[in-house]
Amino acid sequence: MADVDTNMLVAMSLARAGVDRMFGVVGIPVTSLANRAVALGIRFIAFHNEQSAGYAASAYGYLTGRPGILLTVSGPGCVHGLAGLSNAAVNTWPLVMISGSCDQKDFGRGDFQELDQIEAVKPFSKFSAKATDISKVPACVFEVLDWAAAGRPGGCYLDLPSDVLHQTVSESEAERLIAEAQDSRNKGLIERPIVKESEIEKAVALLRQAERPLIVFGKGAAMARAESALKTMVERTGIPFLPTPMGKGLLPDNHDLAATAARSLAIGKCDVALVIGARLNWLLHFGEPPKWSKDVKFILVDISKDEIELRKPWLGLVGDATKVVETINKEIKDDPFCLGKNHPWIEALSKKTKENVSKMEAQLAKDVVPFNFMTPMRIIRDAILELGSPAPILVSEGANTMDIGRSVLVQTEPRTRLDAGTWGTMGVGLGYCIAAAVASPERLVVAVEGDSGFGFSAMEVETLVRYQLPVVVIVFNNGGVYGGDRRNPEEITGPYKDDPAPTSFVPGAAYHVLIEAFGGKGYLVGTPDELKSALAESFSARKPAVINVTIDPYAGAESGRLQHKN
Ligand code: ADP
Ligand code: MG
């Protein structure tokens, strides 16, 4: 019988744990790990940069609910991978980063790509393990996978020293090690807390008494796949709902009870807010005045006890979003709420919604050329809606492009929106596109990106072409960060005053040509007809494409919410 080396044993353990996809960059000392994984039926998506691969692995974790796997080389590979690891931590998405590291006996003597990687990952990982010997490999693999998915999901790290990667055991010993590690998996880790009946009754009683109740849900509810429980809850109670940006689509944006277009009124006036899988952080104005009423009573549903302790809501329910909402539904079953269309709260929200929607539609209806943000966004919205079900997964990043896209583009299905997330991370675009295409092969992926956001990971268009992924990347090209040079004339002084502004890129950059270098399809568009035809052609081709949309460099501005910080 052939011997099994650590590269093989890692691949075997991953496969045994049900891992079916990996993202990463190969090189010393992990190349054969990737090859072995492929040979065992795991799809390995090879990137140009660990940063994009890491973002991909994090989004894959979010979309599937199972840890996304990121493979990196040692030292700098690990450092680049921290982008993905930290993104997973901040978004509470399950991810496992696996990195090779230098030879244990040469550590501290300046070995090739030497770094104390266990120390480097500390701020960003829930749990990390170093396999110091081949006999520990299967147990370490299962442990990091279990920790990443347990409780509040997050990033975990596995360190594989290069000397260990070359150790071998017999095939039967490898099987024995895997079986032993599987038997000793900590089942308690995966168990989820159960909410007490009395707490559920309290929540329902409060919701019943409320005059202006609101349900808010976020990407934690999306990860919990709470859509059908939420649908039942909204139907039984008639309570209006507000999704966070990535909660969009759990219930369709065009639902009668969607309060998105009346967001300020909804959060400003609600008296009881049931918040499910969404943190009361900056994205929800910390749950504080002036955006929220000072008397609002929060009922928070979160898998994380720490989160509840941090926010100190009126009532905290620690548990899985789907389980908790199902239990609430059971509790209200025999006695449904009936807020109804004529209830003053519902009337106020729907009146506001109608007003805001008609204002926005009036803006959108105009064909402005050279393009502002609104005109092309409307055309893209309509082209996406025309596709029907399964809806494409939308990837969005940028300043204006993401903000305007969030209000204009319509999400009708769960987990079909990936954006800059909790950290507002720019550079996630192509990694997210690739993860979405790999996680949901039945769906088209459409990215709507600012030119600056696109640039962070643009080289990965080659990866799209190499794997022939059905991804259409639409670049809103306004010549820079926020677009062009926006300095006042008196600011433009000093010895480097003739340099381009820090916000500027080459005007008219031919991003569509970039993908053509690898055999993909590129389009340059500047009018409604050109855009419509590029969308129609690329959506039906389902092949990698970049649509370079020329936008007026002076259209739009920084997001209202963040302007004071710049
Ligand atoms: P959003 O950005 O959409 O507001 P956040 O990332 O701020 O969402 O919040 C997501 C929350 O969901 C986190 O606090 C996380 O602990 C929680 N969460 C993750 N998984 C679950 C789950 N299965 N059930 C309930 N809450 C969850
Ligand atoms: Mg721009």
Side-chain angles (χ1 to χ4, degrees):
M1 265 197 305
D3 276 353
V4 169
D5 68 2
T6 293
N7 285 304
M8 185 63 177
L9 190 54
V10 173
M12 287 165 72
S13 308
L14 289 169
R16 215 58 68 82
V19 167
D20 54 2
R21 306 278 187 276
M22 285 170 85
F23 305 87
V25 177
V26 295
I28 296 171
V30 297
T31 309
S32 78
L33 201 168
N35 290 332
R36 304 261 153 92
V38 173
L40 292 182
I42 296 174
R43 188 174 197 195
F44 188 87
I45 308 292
F47 281 70
H48 289 268
N49 187 305
E50 295 88 354
Q51 183 176 311
S52 286
Y55 290 146
S58 69
Y60 188 81
Y62 169 66
L63 291 170
T64 62
R66 288 176 287 123
I69 311 292
L70 165 64
L71 182 69
T72 87
V73 302
S74 34
C78 169
V79 168
H80 296 167
L82 293 180
L85 189 68
S86 56
N87 192 57
V90 167
N91 285 320
T92 79
W93 293 350
L95 170 145
V96 168
M97 170 158 113
I98 303 176
S99 302
S101 60
C102 76
D103 200 309
Q104 296 180 90
K105 73 175 185 332
D106 293 326
F107 182 81
R109 305 199 303 147
D111 195 19
F112 173 67
Q113 299 194 331
E114 175 188 310
L115 169 72
D116 186 344
Q117 297 173 191
I118 291 284
E119 199 55 36
V121 302
K122 244 185 205 154
F124 310 117
S125 50
K126 285 171 76 177
F127 177 85
S128 62
K130 189 182 188 95
T132 51
D133 183 87
I134 189 168
S135 62
K136 307 209 164 95
V137 164
C140 286
V141 169
F142 293 139
E143 234 176 351
V144 287
L145 287 168
D146 289 343
W147 270 99
R152 169 185 268 177
C156 289
Y157 173 67
L158 173 61
D159 193 276
L160 301 171
S162 51
D163 51 308
V164 176
L165 284 168
H166 295 117
Q167 292 173 355
T168 57
V169 289
S170 68
E171 211 173 304
S172 59
E173 177 62 4
E175 286 299 342
R176 194 193 63 75
L177 288 169
I178 291 174
E180 183 183 78
Q182 243 167 350
D183 286 345
S184 54
R185 277 173 99 157
N186 180 355
K187 310 239 165 28
L189 260 186
I190 328 173
E191 275 161 25
R192 305 224 133 160
I194 297 182
V195 182
K196 280 198 235 118
E197 190 119 344
S198 60
E199 302 285 275
I200 298 284
E201 285 165 11
K202 230 164 129 182
V204 173
L206 185 68
L207 286 167
R208 277 193 198 282
Q209 286 160 20
E211 282 171 27
R212 296 175 305 282
L214 181 68
I215 299 170
V216 177
F217 46 77
K219 58 184 179 306
M223 212 165 20
R225 295 178 145 60
E227 53 270 16
S228 84
L230 284 171
K231 179 168 182 279
T232 306
M233 174 186 265
V234 165
E235 279 166 2
R236 280 201 193 143
T237 60
I239 300 177
F241 65 86
L242 181 73
T244 67
M246 286 181 58
K248 267 160 73 73
L250 273 175
L251 294 175
D253 281 342
N254 44 21
H255 192 287
D256 277 350
L257 287 165
T260 315
R263 186 178 188 275
S264 299
L265 177 69
I267 66 176
K269 287 282 183 312
C270 68
D271 59 352
V272 174
L274 171 61
V275 180
I276 305 164
R279 282 167 286 184
L280 289 174
N281 58 13
W282 69 281
L283 278 161
L284 287 172
H285 320 285
F286 305 106
E288 288 171 351
K291 294 285 187 179
W292 295 81
S293 142
K294 72 178 187 353
D295 302 318
V296 58
K297 292 189 171 103
F298 284 108
I299 305 172
L300 292 193
V301 179
D302 204 291
I303 196 78
S304 159
K305 190 158 167 270
D306 293 348
E307 184 62 24
I308 305 279
E309 281 167 4
L310 172 71
R311 310 292 172 189
K312 301 189 178 53
W314 189 84
L315 180 65
L317 305 175
V318 180
D320 175 68
T322 303
K323 276 270 143 47
V324 173
V325 176
E326 280 171 353
T327 322
I328 293 180
N329 288 342
K330 250 186 231 147
E331 172 69 24
I332 53 187
K333 185 168 188 172
D334 300 331
D335 187 10
F337 293 37
C338 37
L339 283 171
K341 276 205 174 69
N342 303 324
H343 188 283
W345 174 232
I346 307 297
E347 255 181 1
L349 286 172
S350 66
K351 180 164 168 269
K352 192 79 204 164
T353 297
K354 280 199 194 97
E355 277 169 31
N356 288 349
V357 167
S358 72
K359 257 188 248 163
M360 165 111 96
E361 287 304 323
Q363 290 293 314
L364 286 169
K366 297 178 209 153
D367 272 343
V368 178
V369 181
F371 276 149
N372 59 4
F373 285 86
M374 292 297 231
T375 300
M377 208 61 92
R378 180 204 79 224
I379 294 169
I380 294 164
R381 172 191 72 181
D382 295 347
I384 289 177
L385 283 173
E386 215 164 282
L387 290 173
S389 188
I393 295 183
L394 176 81
V395 173
S396 179
E397 66 178 331
N400 294 297
T401 307
M402 186 171 72
D403 278 345
I404 296 170
R406 187 171 54 240
S407 4
V408 176
L409 301 172
V410 179
Q411 240 67 49
T412 54
E413 294 178 23
R415 293 168 297 282
T416 56
R417 180 184 167 86
L418 296 168
D419 66 21
T422 302
W423 254 0
T425 312
M426 293 300 125
V428 291
L430 271 286
Y432 281 6
C433 286
I434 292 164
V438 165
S440 307
E442 74 288 2
R443 293 182 193 270
L444 180 71
V445 178
V446 179
V448 181
E449 308 245 319
D451 51 343
S452 158
F454 173 69
F456 282 83
S457 62
M459 190 63 193
E460 304 297 347
V461 295
E462 187 276 337
T463 312
L464 294 183
V465 176
R466 190 166 12 110
Y467 292 96
Q468 283 297 300
L469 301 173
V471 177
V472 177
V473 181
I474 304 166
V475 181
F476 274 45
N477 186 356
N478 62 354
V481 183
Y482 313 129
D485 187 351
R486 297 187 172 218
R487 293 171 297 182
N488 297 320
E490 62 272 21
E491 281 182 284
I492 309 173
T493 60
Y496 303 108
K497 68 176 168 34
D498 294 329
D499 273 355
T503 51
S504 296
F505 298 145
V506 168
Y511 296 118
H512 56 294
V513 177
L514 202 60
I515 193 165
E516 288 174 348
F518 309 110
K521 180 80 191 163
Y523 304 85
L524 174 64
V525 307
T527 66
D529 285 342
E530 287 167 359
L531 177 56
K532 283 177 198 165
S533 107
L535 291 171
E537 193 177 299
S538 60
F539 283 9
S540 67
R542 296 178 61 90
K543 288 262 170 11
V546 169
I547 303 178
N548 185 5
V549 184
T550 306
I551 305 279
D552 175 359
Y554 294 99
E558 172 65 284
S559 151
R561 189 184 316 184
L562 294 175
Q563 203 156 29
H564 66 286
K565 294 193 194 268
N566 209 339

